[in-house]
Each structure stands twice: as structure tokens, then as C-alpha cells.
Amino acid sequence: MPTTTETQTTSRLDAVLERLRPIFDDIAAGTVQREQEHTLPHAEVRRLVDAGFAGLRVPVEDGGAGLTIPELAEVLVELAAADSNLPQIFRGHIAFVEDRLTSPPGSERDRWLRRFAAGEFVGNAWSEVGQGAIGTSSTTLDRDADGWTLNGRKFYTTGSIYADWIDVTARRSDGVDGTALVRTSQPGVTITDDWDGFGQQLTGTGTTVFARAAVDDENVFVFADRFRYQTAIYQLVLLSVLAGVAKAAERDTAQEVHDRKRVYSHGSASLVREDPQIQAIVGEISSVSFVAHATVRHVAETIERAYETSGRRGSDEDDATNIAAEIASAQGQVVLSTLVTQAVTRVFDTLGASAVSRAKGLDRHWRNARTVASHNPWIYKAKIVGDWAINQTPPPFLWEIGVATDR
């Protein structure tokens, strides 16, 4: 018999999915056309936000849906199966919500939770390109008589072009590494859709420039105070995207095979859907989809345990749950980065030359999976996992990219 908690969890998630699935269906119906025409999904993002997407993790008593991290992951996989760009658009928001959820109780925390519940969501501006040294930031947050001002140029600002706020990392004038929350609509903020990747083209992962953008005192934070499992939660979103891509590839391939009438004379059946060779390939894709989804669920459950110990930051238990979350997310990344990208190429083995038709848009599954798998290169995560397995070396919880100055 299910426990009361399990029943409440199921009904809560079911209620959210009942509300969101009609939107997911509409999103899926337009995915290929948006990709072909490079139409940014502003309307689709707004429909999700209006339906409560920004507040999925916000407690019910604060106006949100109160989902756990595993429940959130279920929603993200379904959304990714509809359009893999959409969950990644919300990646920075998902992380900032966790940061506010794990912050000390008080007016600051309450203010942000109310904003999320009201439908405001946050983009991301952490990365910089160029020849800057590792550990440095050319983006500055300066304090003068008029308050804080933000200056700098960021790239990979995923989701910011759709968002109400941007979460920006910067070096403060007092030498402290900080973050600032800046409204996208205010003067001094310019966002450009100049991401030129061959996949995930509609995530808005482009350039944002800050030119004396004003920042309120209440929206300036110390980076070292961020929640500990942030790298794991960022990776969980990408794993959810990969699982959704696999699910979409399974769905589209099965439908295309089922409907196909033309066969090869040297095939194994008079109908493609009855050909055992083709059935085996679709079975491979389906099996990868199953494993990807199961991996996401396990990683999400591990991260949930890190969330549950966040109130005892620095304790032995908190250290253990955060290490487990980081290792699990890295293990999932190592496996799914290769498994899903290999599986979605099998789509083209089922249909012959017609599979590469641009009108079908089946190529998006590989392009998007390959692009997502290129984030945070898995080869380094494999080393970290191996070092933990052999030597019990704790994983790094934060990492940076730039030019090494010791060479």
C-alpha cells in the first residue's frame, strides 16, 4: 500500500502535469517549424510561466507547486521530449530557485519566492569568452555614492533573452566574487541572440552586455554563499534534456516506421513495421530512452538528499550528500552523453534516405543531443568519478574555464 506521503507526491505531480501537458502538446506541434525558421519560443516560454512553471519548486504555502527535485525532473523530461530547447532555457532559473530555497528564512528569501510564484523567472550570465585567466572575471560590480553598477560582457547567457531577471557573476569593487540580479528590461542591459551552435539553437545562449546597469543592494550576493549542489542541479537539467531527446527520438522513429509503406527488396518483411531488423533498432532506441529516464530519476533522488541536508551546511552528513550528488550527476553525464547521442543516430538506420529530409526534422535529435553533451565535457567528469572510486578524492563542486597562467 502506498504511504500518505507517496500519495500526496503522486497527486501533486499529476496535478502539475495535467495543467502542463496540453501546453507541452502545443509546443511539440510547432517544434520542427521553429527549428527550421529559427523562431525563438517567446510565446511558448510565456505560456509555461503563466501556467506556474517558474514556481514548480516553490513551496505550496508560498504560492508554488511544491515539487521535489525528482518530480521537477519528471516535468523537465516531458518538456524536453516536446522541445529540448525549453528546459535548458529555464536552467539558470532552476538553479537560482534552489539558491533561494536553501537561503536563510527571512524577507529576502520570501521576496524571491513570491516573485517566482508570480511568474518572474531568471536567466543566466556567468561565462565569458576570450583570453581571460582562469579564476578572473572582466565583469565588474562597482559601488559608488549612487549604489552598485554592473559593467561587462557575458556569453552563453542561456534563457536571459526570455527572462525577467539575469543572474550575473562579477568581481565586486571590494575584491569579493559576487553575483548580481539585474532586470532585463532596465537601461544598460543588451541581450543578443548570437549563439551559432548547430544544436539547441533556440535557447538564447548568446551575448549579454552590461553598461552601468544599476543593481539594488538587496540583489547583490556573495558567490561563496551559493548553495552547494549547484553543479549537480545544472547537470541534472542537461541530463533531463538528453532523456527527453531520447524519448522524442523513440516516439518519432516508431511513428515513422509504423506509417512507412515503401520497403527494400532485400529487406526482411513486406512492411517496414514488421521487419525484425528495424524492430530491433527501434528497440535499441527505446531501451536507451528507458535507461536515460531511469538515470535522471536516480540522479534527481540523490540531489534531493543534498537539498534535505542543506540546512546543516558543512556537517559530515551534508558533505556526504553533496559528494554523492556530484558523483551521481557526473556518472549520469558520462553515460548519457555517449549513449543518447549514439542512439539517436540509429534513427537514420530505420528509414533510409528519407530520414534525412529537412522537412521531417529528425536531424534535430542528434544535433541537440550532441550539443547538450558538449557542455561541461564528460571526459573530465569520467576522471573525477574514477578518482573518487579509486582514492575517495572528493569531486570539485565548482570549476572555471579560461587561460592557464602557470604555463
Side-chain angles (χ1 to χ4, degrees), residues 260-277:
R260 185 171 172 83
K261 299 296 189 294
R262 286 161 56 88
V263 297
Y264 288 94
S265 60
H266 54 307
S268 303
S270 58
L271 287 173
V272 177
R273 65 176 179 264
E274 296 174 355
D275 189 319
Q277 292 179 277

Side-chain angles (χ1 to χ4, degrees), residues 150-152 182-190 208-214:
L150 184 69
N151 293 278
V182 182
R183 282 200 177 272
T184 57
S185 59
Q186 72 181 59
V189 178
T190 304
T208 300
V209 176
F210 305 95
R212 292 194 57 78

Side-chain angles (χ1 to χ4, degrees), residues 68-399:
T68 64
I69 292 172
E71 290 168 344
L72 173 65
E74 290 294 322
V75 176
L76 294 178
V77 171
E78 287 208 24
L79 177 57
D83 184 337
S84 65
N85 291 274
L86 270 298
Q88 193 174 348
I89 286 170
F90 286 95
R91 187 170 175 239
H93 176 82
I94 289 165
F96 188 68
V97 170
E98 291 299 314
D99 189 61
R100 294 298 85 202
L101 282 173
T102 57
S103 64
S107 59
E108 180 184 283
R109 179 181 184 272
D110 294 343
R111 179 170 58 252
W112 278 105
L113 294 183
R114 287 195 299 269
R115 284 171 174 167
F116 303 147
E120 297 185 37
F121 91 95
V122 180
N124 177 270
W126 282 24
S127 298
E128 297 176 358
V129 294
Q131 302 304 311
I134 291 176
T136 64
S137 175
S138 63
T139 302
T140 60
L141 188 58
D142 301 309
R143 176 84 182 186
D144 57 27
D146 297 323
W148 294 97
T149 56
L150 184 69
N151 293 278
R153 185 184 189 90
K154 297 286 191 177
F155 195 60
Y156 302 116
T157 60
T158 304
S160 294
I161 202 167
Y162 307 98
D164 304 288
W165 299 84
I166 310 177
D167 180 22
V168 189
T169 55
R171 178 61 59 88
R172 293 180 1 180
S173 52
D174 57 7
V176 174
D177 288 328
T179 60
L181 270 293
V182 182
R183 282 200 177 272
T184 57
S185 59
Q186 72 181 59
V189 178
T190 304
I191 307 171
T192 306
D193 176 35
D194 57 350
W195 163 243
D196 65 351
F198 60 64
Q200 296 297 92
Q201 295 178 348
L202 307 180
T203 56
T205 306
T207 300
T208 300
V209 176
F210 305 95
R212 292 194 57 78
V215 185
D216 294 334
D217 285 337
E218 65 187 29
N219 294 329
V220 175
F221 305 97
V222 176
F223 186 81
D225 294 338
R226 295 277 296 197
F227 72 109
R228 296 186 68 189
Y229 55 92
Q230 61 184 342
T231 301
I233 202 80
Y234 278 125
Q235 194 59 53
L236 175 64
V237 176
L238 298 183
L239 295 176
S240 300
V241 171
L242 286 171
V245 169
K247 185 175 182 178
E250 176 190 4
R251 176 199 66 212
D252 291 352
T253 308
Q255 188 64 56
E256 289 284 346
V257 167
H258 181 272
D259 294 345
R260 185 171 172 83
K261 299 296 189 294
R262 286 161 56 88
V263 297
Y264 288 94
S265 60
H266 54 307
S268 303
S270 58
L271 287 173
V272 177
R273 65 176 179 264
E274 296 174 355
D275 189 319
Q277 292 179 277
I278 302 301
Q279 290 172 347
I281 293 174
V282 178
E284 290 177 32
I285 298 169
S286 178
S287 298
V288 170
S289 176
F290 168 78
V291 169
H293 201 163
T295 299
V296 168
R297 286 170 175 157
H298 175 75
V299 173
E301 289 166 358
T302 308
I303 298 174
E304 178 73 14
R305 289 191 284 275
Y307 165 72
E308 291 169 352
T309 64
S310 60
R312 300 184 293 280
R313 183 168 181 149
S315 67
D316 290 345
E317 183 183 15
D318 187 52
D319 287 344
T321 59
N322 277 274
I323 288 173
E326 188 63 34
I327 293 296
S329 67
Q331 290 170 322
Q333 180 186 2
V334 170
V335 174
L336 297 192
S337 292
T338 54
L339 201 62
V340 172
T341 52
Q342 290 169 359
V344 295
T345 65
R346 298 290 274 157
V347 172
F348 304 102
D349 293 328
T350 64
L351 301 172
S354 63
V356 302
S357 166
R358 292 186 66 188
K360 291 183 183 297
L362 295 174
D363 62 302
R364 76 187 190 280
H365 297 313
W366 184 87
R367 289 187 294 100
N368 292 336
R370 181 63 263 180
T371 299
V372 169
S374 299
H375 285 68
N376 318 325
W378 68 264
I379 58 170
Y380 303 119
K381 297 295 184 69
K383 178 267 180 190
I384 290 166
V385 171
D387 198 10
W388 170 254
I390 298 167
N391 303 310
Q392 294 291 284
T393 303
F397 292 100
L398 291 172
W399 53 269

